[in-house]
Amino acid sequence: MDYDGLLRKTIADLHQEGRYRVFADITRRRGSFPRGVLRRGRQDSGREVTVWCSNDYLCMGEHPKVLSAMRDAIDAAGSGSGGTRNISGTNHYHIALEEALADLHGKEAALLFTSGYTANEATLSVLQNLLPNCLIFSDALNHASMIEGIRHGGRKKHIWRHNDTAHLRELLEASPVGVPKLIAFESVYSMDGDFAPIAEICALAKTHQALTYLDEVHAVGLYGSRGGGLAEQDGVMGEVDIVQGTLAKAFGAQGGYIASSATLVDAIRSYAPGFIFTTALPPAIAAAALAAIAHLKTSAAEREALHRGAERLREKLRAASLPVMESASHIVPVHVGDPARCKAISDRLMEEHGIYVQPINYPTVPRGTERLRFTPSPKHSEAAMDDLVKALKAVWQG
């Protein structure tokens, strides 16, 4: 059996569709973000590029407070955690971080995971098995990690049209009374940049006695007076039962978490294999995230600069007659609609203009909606935006 041949065929299919992904080997240099240096083989090429697709939205990955906390934690506790949370891997940094996250979301408790993906997959898969005959209601554009968690739980699920609360209401009304229900959705959808109607969804959940599970991955740190996310900004944090978030985006570190009631968090901690059998986050990572959260709870400057920059970039793209997709968030997508063309534009921006933006193709987005996704940070200057728009227009017309 030619196993390599079979696998080569699957890879060749990706090439033919224009969906084969290539890693951009860029050396990120502290203090110069969003500028980086492109590597060729094992050496820096010396060629600078501007990164336009980072999820380090607020540049906290190089903030002095974050780096200082990380260094101190390394000196105090070493590199790794030394085990799972149940077996020698729990450090005081983990406990302090969970307390800070619970406070951020106004919940009784929080639980750390090694990634946002793991937090979603582990929590959603085990929770529906802890609730007898649980029905799942999932937004059609939920992240892959949520979809996997729901699938692995194996319970009956209903997919409601994206952000369509009328459709959600129909599904809830048609479901049996007295059966546990869980509504899973995101606050900011990372590929379109649109917002969920959180208050409406929570009102429906209350009427039909359903739990709400809100993925705030692309909102924590970025929205709300303390960076608690879109639910905080909308004034409905108390209506959401379970908040899931990440430490790897606005907070510039690594890891994921949930925040909820003490009972629910304890149940997930006690039953979720994705938590029980995974080595804990390194103490230094937890310390870095803790410092970022503490800073962003009191500083709105980074959030305000982020949103001003996103709106400026949208205005410049519109003025250049480029097909910017409408959104009110910090995410600025430009529609392409073809995977091969999307990759070709991305390649030319890098090769001819030193601009790095990753093509977003299926399965990340539906076929026919391929796009370039720009995430301007507080450190993307007006001049950098002008250079981007000029280069994109030239490549688009070429």
Side-chain angles (χ1 to χ4, degrees):
M1 179 68 70
D2 183 7
Y3 291 107
D4 274 0
L6 294 172
L7 295 174
R8 280 195 296 271
K9 171 64 167 60
T10 67
I11 295 170
D13 290 343
L14 292 177
H15 279 285
Q16 185 173 357
E17 292 179 41
R19 294 196 295 119
Y20 183 76
R21 300 180 183 189
V22 178
F23 293 148
D25 190 353
I26 298 172
T27 300
R28 175 171 171 164
R29 292 181 172 173
R30 178 174 58 85
S32 63
F33 186 81
R35 303 290 288 173
V37 177
L38 186 65
R39 291 179 66 87
R40 300 293 188 190
R42 297 184 179 181
Q43 302 294 325
D44 283 349
S45 67
R47 184 184 178 204
E48 285 199 343
V49 298
T50 302
V51 178
W52 276 99
C53 52
S54 173
N55 281 345
D56 186 1
Y57 292 130
L58 299 178
C59 307
M60 294 303 292
E62 59 180 33
H63 194 284
K65 291 181 182 178
V66 173
L67 299 184
S68 177
M70 197 170 193
R71 292 189 195 99
D72 290 347
I74 290 174
D75 290 340
S79 59
S81 63
T84 65
R85 289 291 299 277
N86 290 317
I87 307 176
S88 83
T90 294
N91 187 284
H92 179 66
Y93 294 105
H94 300 119
I95 303 300
L97 179 53
E98 287 172 340
E99 290 174 351
L101 289 165
D103 172 74
L104 179 66
H105 295 290
K107 303 302 180 188
E108 293 178 343
L111 187 66
L112 287 172
F113 292 83
T114 52
S115 71
Y117 189 105
T118 304
N120 272 334
E121 195 282 330
T123 304
L124 286 169
S125 62
V126 75
L127 185 57
Q128 56 187 298
N129 283 303
L130 296 179
L131 301 173
N133 302 312
C134 184
L135 296 176
I136 305 295
F137 299 83
S138 176
D139 186 284
L141 292 189
N142 275 343
H143 189 264
S145 57
M146 300 175 76
I147 294 170
E148 285 302 299
I150 291 168
R151 179 181 295 131
H152 290 165
R155 300 300 184 187
K156 186 175 181 180
K157 64 179 181 292
H158 300 280
I159 310 300
W160 48 290
R161 291 188 292 270
H162 176 55
N163 277 349
D164 187 340
T165 53
H167 187 217
L168 175 60
R169 181 184 296 107
E170 290 175 13
L171 294 172
L172 288 166
E173 289 175 348
S175 64
V177 176
V179 173
K181 303 175 184 68
L182 178 67
I183 303 172
F185 61 109
E186 301 181 40
S187 60
V188 179
Y189 288 83
S190 63
M191 293 301 126
D192 291 349
D194 57 340
F195 297 151
I198 302 175
E200 294 179 46
I201 294 169
C202 288
L204 284 172
K206 187 174 183 178
T207 299
H208 295 276
Q209 297 183 311
L211 287 174
T212 47
Y213 183 101
L214 176 63
D215 180 317
E216 289 257 42
V217 160
H218 292 273
V220 290
L222 307 175
Y223 299 86
S225 61
R226 298 197 311 155
L230 195 63
E232 182 189 31
Q233 179 171 289
D234 290 354
V236 292
M237 186 79 80
E239 304 302 314
V240 177
D241 295 300
I242 309 159
V243 175
Q244 182 270 342
T246 185
L247 307 172
K249 293 180 170 61
F251 299 130
Q254 179 67 37
Y257 64 89
I258 60 167
S260 187
S261 70
T263 300
L264 187 142
V265 167
D266 194 23
I268 301 303
R269 180 189 71 83
S270 300
Y271 282 95
F275 174 82
I276 295 170
F277 299 106
T278 300
T279 298
L281 287 171
I285 297 296
L290 185 60
I293 292 165
H295 175 77
L296 292 172
K297 279 180 177 178
T298 59
S299 175
E302 293 84 1
R303 286 188 284 276
E304 292 169 357
L306 173 80
H307 295 300
R308 284 196 304 269
E311 187 52 39
R312 280 202 306 272
L313 181 59
R314 269 191 289 269
E315 290 172 356
K316 291 175 183 292
L317 291 166
R318 290 189 199 106
S321 299
L322 289 163
V324 59
M325 299 167 64
E326 292 303 319
S327 81
S329 73
H330 59 286
I331 295 163
V332 184
V334 173
H335 182 263
V336 178
D338 175 81
R341 185 167 186 243
C342 198
K343 186 178 185 306
I345 291 172
S346 171
D347 290 346
R348 286 190 59 194
L349 285 172
M350 176 77 93
E351 294 164 6
E352 299 173 17
H353 301 278
I355 289 170
Y356 172 50
V357 57
Q358 187 70 15
I360 306 295
N361 294 331
Y362 178 83
T364 306
V365 295
R367 296 181 191 275
T369 70
E370 293 82 5
R371 68 202 63 179
L372 302 173
R373 175 184 175 272
F374 298 95
T375 53
S377 76
K379 294 189 177 182
H380 283 86
S381 66
E382 192 90 17
M385 291 185 191
D386 290 338
D387 289 343
L388 167 65
V389 174
K390 182 179 178 181
L392 185 56
K393 190 167 185 178
V395 169
W396 206 273
Q397 295 172 343

